[in-house]
Amino acid sequence: MAVRDKNPNLPPALTFAPISQAVLETLEEGVAVFDAHARLVYANERARRVIDGLGDAAQRGDALRERLMTLGGRARPLKHSAAELGEVVFLPTGDQTRTLAEQERQAILDALDVTQGKLAEAARRLGISRTTLWRRLRAYGLRPDGRSGHGPAVRA
């Protein structure tokens, strides 16, 4: 979900790698990402549901951010080194105890499920190489069919 501004003086909005989007989609809480110009860059499914429920009046920039904050959102700066890229607003709605690794593991399992174990297709959907996917499978103790343990490869 990206907001397109008509102002040509603004730089293009941030983009996220597919694996980043997949990880954000596995979060139990809503996540809305704003760039440094207060444009909504990305919202996971849970945040989109909340935003859709707010109506058109709060669909842009600071007004949307402020509405999300009044709903109990927690804002955190989005940085790369010292550069401020924008802000992330987390909407409380679920299990706060899952680690990033658990969320990444779930994103990989979801991609493998959707692609029926086809590694090349799952890697493409996640925006990573097959080699990286194999490394992550091994790190999480998974087989390509999504079960625990190591076994023979399925369709690549």
Side-chain angles (χ1 to χ4, degrees):
M1 169 186 249
V3 174
R4 307 275 187 235
D5 285 326
K6 304 288 189 243
N7 187 344
N9 297 327
L10 292 177
L14 297 171
T15 58
F16 286 91
I19 192 163
S20 299
Q21 291 178 11
V23 168
L24 290 173
E25 289 298 332
T26 66
L27 295 175
E28 292 295 323
E29 60 188 345
V31 178
V33 181
F34 295 88
D35 69 7
H37 302 283
R39 295 178 294 191
L40 179 64
V41 177
Y42 180 80
N44 68 0
E45 182 181 342
R46 287 147 192 89
R48 286 190 301 271
R49 278 191 252 132
V50 171
I51 291 168
D52 290 344
L54 294 175
D56 292 334
Q59 293 292 318
R60 290 190 121 20
D62 284 333
L64 175 57
R65 182 197 168 281
E66 293 306 317
R67 290 286 305 270
L68 294 175
M69 296 301 288
T70 61
L71 295 173
R74 299 177 334 272
R76 298 290 183 262
L78 182 61
K79 294 181 178 184
H80 179 52
S81 297
E84 292 276 339
L85 301 176
E87 190 171 50
V88 179
V89 176
F90 296 94
L91 302 171
T93 57
D95 183 12
Q96 306 289 326
T97 61
R98 291 178 63 194
T99 66
L100 182 59
E102 291 168 335
Q103 294 160 10
E104 181 182 56
R105 181 181 185 276
Q106 187 59 51
I108 290 170
L109 288 172
D110 292 345
L112 287 170
D113 186 46
V114 166
T115 62
Q116 288 119 20
K118 295 178 184 169
L119 296 179
E121 179 64 15
R124 186 189 65 74
R125 287 177 181 248
L126 293 169
I128 59 178
S129 71
R130 283 190 308 161
T131 303
T132 299
L133 179 57
W134 271 108
R135 287 181 186 140
R136 302 274 167 83
L137 288 171
R138 190 171 37 243
Y140 295 130
L142 298 172
R143 296 189 320 204
D145 60 7
R147 294 185 307 198
S148 294
H150 299 285
V154 286
R155 298 173 293 273

